[in-house]
Amino acid sequence: MITNNAYTLREGDSLDNYSYLVENQKAFFKTGKPKELAFRLEALKKLKSAIQANEKKLMNALKSDLNKSDFDAYTAEIGFVLAELSFTMKHLLSWVKPQKVKTPVTHIGSASYIYSEPYGVSLIIAPWNYPFQLAIAPLIGAIAAGNTAVIKPSELTPNTSALLAELIKGLYPEKYIAVVEGAVETSQALLKEKFDYIFFTGSVPVGRVIMEAAAKNLTPVTLELGGKSPCIVHHDANIKLAAKRIAWGKFTNAGQTCIAPDYLYLHKGIKEEFLSLFKDAIKELYGAEPLNNPNYTHIVSERHFNRLQSFLNNGEVYCGGKTDAQTLAIEPTVLTGITWSDPIMEDEIFGPILPVMEYESLDEVLKGIHNHPKPLALYIFSEHNEVQQEVLGNVSFGGGCVNDTVYHFVSPHLPFGGVGPSGIGSYHGKGSFDTFSHKKSVLKQTTLFDLPFRYPNVKNGLKIIKMFLK
Ligand code: NAD
């Protein structure tokens, strides 16, 4: 069903045509208002205050949609976004200034600058797993860089989507920022319009659809996608800490995190010890009966629940394995005896099931990873720099951690994104501002003199040029 609580359709619009909305935003962008620094800062400030004022409502929406605990809702969604807002407001003045860069000797007399200019009207399409954060974090970048924005939240988290729509409607005019609620049809209708930038977070197959639609208008895109992110525990790792940090990164949000460790590569020598500590770590985090833990996140839909449940007969269940079809919950589960030919190893799992493979040499691990698409994240647990470097230097992946999981995501100093099939582009912190800005290079030339050698009619011109361009 197509809902449209947020954006009110106007003359010229229909449920499969958003030209009025986009034209209206284009006209507003042309007034120059969204580009004004004071306007951008005010928009960010208003957003921050509204989020703070609606903290409880947001927690309730996330609870209704995904059974997210207040702790998870704050740390991974609300708090993260507030920190991004504070960081952006603090640094925006320095980011918007044209950046002076060096000028080569061949350009003597001139000065070189990089201007950050907004693209114009941006489209932000968000998924359901962190439905608030993944809609608002890109919006911060869009506003900071001086763009207008249309946000299409996920239809699978309807309470958060409706609250987002209500919040945004209360803050900004639709000609500046609008939320269009709806499902695939709405997304496709929006994609028919000519946006100046498209920021998409979601699955790899839909990423292809987005890029194809963007290609028609040569619209630049950021694609924040997914994939199977490996987690390697070498024999020299701090096993106890590794167990705790992996259990946290994997099972938070019931594994429905794009950068959650998708599968474990355990060194044969520490496998049993690690698994026993891992089981303890899960118990410590979620109790002996996670299905009865009111703070344990549920699976978003019946379709995903059934998809995940079908993996439970892969390999052997080491721990967990129980499910509750009523509440769509699945225990944190570890599967051993897994090989690359098991169905669970085909696609991103996106749920609280962790398959384990064992290895003897790092070569096997590297070979296994190289035979598959470049992952969004990678985690290596080892106490030795050579081991860490062997993995970091030989595997291409979006980003990751040494001796931790997921934590790189929350640093505003580390641009976050994938590579190849796991994504294009990156954001967070200044990265978000840069993503939503075109970098316009400008040479300011002197008129006090004119170096002659570039002109083809100058005697010895080529000889002089050859002295510099070599
Ligand atoms: P999805 O691709 O199914 O949907 C994402 C958005 O696209 C939704 O708003 C949806 O309405 C829209 N959409 C779906 N099908 C469409 C189509 N055919 N045409 C146009 N729009 C369409 O993804 P999801 O299930 O909501 O989220 C899970 C996926 O997102 C996982 O693969 C996960 O790895 C990825 N993800 C990536 C990141 C990241 O930052 N890289 C973060 C979170 C999730």
Side-chain angles (χ1 to χ4, degrees):
M1 189 185 85
I2 300 174
T3 54
N4 216 319
N5 304 327
Y7 173 64
T8 322
L9 294 174
R10 303 286 160 74
E11 206 182 322
D13 279 345
S14 68
L15 286 179
D16 59 1
N17 176 354
Y18 289 92
S19 50
Y20 178 89
L21 171 62
V22 177
E23 286 311 317
N24 221 11
Q25 288 211 353
K26 281 196 173 157
F28 185 60
F29 179 74
K30 277 191 192 140
T31 65
K33 203 78 195 152
K35 256 177 90 168
E36 288 172 12
L37 178 62
F39 185 85
R40 302 187 210 187
L41 285 168
E42 183 57 27
L44 294 169
K45 201 168 127 196
K46 270 164 65 172
L47 184 57
K48 190 173 174 188
S49 308
I51 293 170
Q52 284 166 331
N54 285 280
E55 183 185 304
K56 197 64 213 153
K57 269 193 182 175
L58 282 164
M59 285 172 168
N60 291 343
L62 291 163
K63 183 86 187 164
S64 317
D65 285 333
L66 290 154
N67 197 44
K68 258 189 212 205
S69 66
D70 286 358
F71 181 84
D72 285 355
Y74 194 87
T75 51
E77 307 238 25
I78 302 164
F80 173 81
V81 160
L82 290 175
E84 279 278 303
L85 276 162
S86 306
F87 187 85
T88 304
M89 286 191 279
K90 186 170 168 201
H91 297 287
L92 191 56
L93 178 61
S94 68
W95 297 346
V96 298
K97 285 185 184 151
Q99 186 196 344
K100 190 162 190 215
V101 293
K102 283 187 179 171
T103 298
V105 65
T106 41
H107 296 55
I108 207 146
S110 61
S112 309
Y113 298 89
I114 299 172
Y115 286 73
S116 292
E117 68 172 21
Y119 282 103
V121 180
S122 61
L123 172 63
I124 296 167
I125 301 177
W128 53 264
N129 60 333
Y130 292 88
F132 179 70
Q133 188 237 107
L134 294 172
I136 297 295
L139 177 67
I140 296 170
I143 294 175
N147 300 273
T148 71
V150 174
I151 306 169
K152 210 298 277 168
S154 172
E155 67 281 15
L156 294 186
T157 39
N159 295 290
T160 312
S161 173
L163 182 56
L164 257 171
E166 185 191 312
L167 271 181
I168 295 294
K169 200 168 193 168
L171 286 176
Y172 314 112
E174 284 165 352
K175 63 184 177 184
Y176 179 38
I177 295 162
V179 173
V180 177
E181 288 193 87
V184 178
E185 303 87 339
T186 308
S187 196
Q188 286 169 342
L190 284 165
L191 287 167
K192 284 191 213 145
E193 301 302 327
K194 193 176 178 328
F195 284 90
D196 299 300
Y197 202 87
I198 299 176
F199 189 105
F200 170 78
T201 308
S203 60
V204 176
V206 180
R208 288 200 183 95
V209 173
I210 304 293
M211 198 155 170
E212 212 176 310
K216 292 206 175 88
N217 293 315
L218 291 177
T219 303
V221 291
T222 294
L223 300 178
E224 294 284 345
L225 309 177
K228 289 186 90 60
S229 299
C231 181
I232 308 158
V233 186
H234 205 51
H235 60 74
D236 63 337
N238 178 332
I239 310 288
K240 191 160 184 211
L241 207 50
K244 194 172 162 192
R245 291 178 178 168
I246 297 168
W248 170 77
K250 174 68 185 183
F251 299 115
T252 190
N253 212 33
Q256 301 167 111
T257 304
C258 57
I259 46 167
D262 186 272
Y263 60 94
L264 260 189
Y265 256 126
L266 288 184
H267 190 275
K268 213 173 173 178
I270 47 95
K271 187 180 151 200
E272 292 310 321
E273 186 192 354
F274 176 89
L275 286 175
S276 162
L277 289 165
F278 194 60
K279 200 172 165 179
D280 295 345
I282 295 172
K283 199 170 161 190
E284 222 170 283
L285 288 175
Y286 299 104
E289 295 293 338
L291 296 184
N292 298 332
N293 182 337
N295 291 326
Y296 184 57
T297 305
H298 294 170
I299 305 306
V300 71
S301 68
E302 206 175 316
R303 185 173 73 83
H304 281 287
F305 177 82
N306 292 335
R307 179 183 63 80
L308 289 164
Q309 208 174 24
S310 76
F311 295 140
L312 292 173
N313 58 11
N314 288 203
E316 294 106 47
V317 174
Y318 177 85
C319 64
K322 279 192 254 155
T323 64
D324 183 340
Q326 288 290 310
T327 58
L328 301 182
I330 298 177
E331 274 187 345
T333 300
V334 176
L335 300 176
T336 51
I338 296 291
T339 67
W340 277 108
S341 50
D342 284 300
I344 196 168
M345 295 306 290
E346 273 168 30
D347 290 312
E348 181 184 19
I349 300 165
F350 224 58
I353 308 174
L354 186 62
V356 175
M357 296 191 288
E358 63 176 49
Y359 71 92
E360 282 184 65
S361 80
L362 271 181
D363 280 352
E364 292 168 52
V365 174
L366 298 183
K367 218 181 263 169
I369 300 173
H370 284 153
N371 278 338
H372 295 87
K374 293 178 181 180
L376 179 60
L378 179 144
Y379 308 110
I380 163 77
F381 287 79
S382 162
E383 290 295 301
H384 287 96
N385 192 39
E386 312 84 76
V387 175
Q388 298 164 7
Q389 288 313 317
E390 185 166 350
V391 174
L392 297 182
N394 286 299
V395 186
S396 177
F397 56 93
C401 305
V402 171
N403 292 323
D404 210 339
T405 66
V406 176
Y407 224 46
H408 62 298
F409 184 90
V410 288
S411 165
H413 303 288
L414 289 174
F416 172 80
V419 52
S422 55
I424 296 174
S426 58
Y427 73 132
H428 289 178
K430 182 163 185 287
S432 299
F433 172 83
D434 288 338
T435 285
F436 281 94
S437 305
H438 163 61
K439 301 294 170 183
K440 191 161 73 181
S441 294
V442 174
L443 182 85
K444 284 193 188 168
Q445 184 60 280
T446 182
T447 51
L448 295 177
F449 57 89
D450 190 27
L451 290 179
F453 55 77
R454 72 162 109 166
Y455 300 106
N457 57 341
V458 171
K459 202 177 166 208
N460 290 330
L462 183 58
K463 209 170 149 194
I464 297 169
I465 282 174
K466 279 187 165 179
M467 282 166 57
F468 290 105
L469 300 184
K470 60 183 180 187

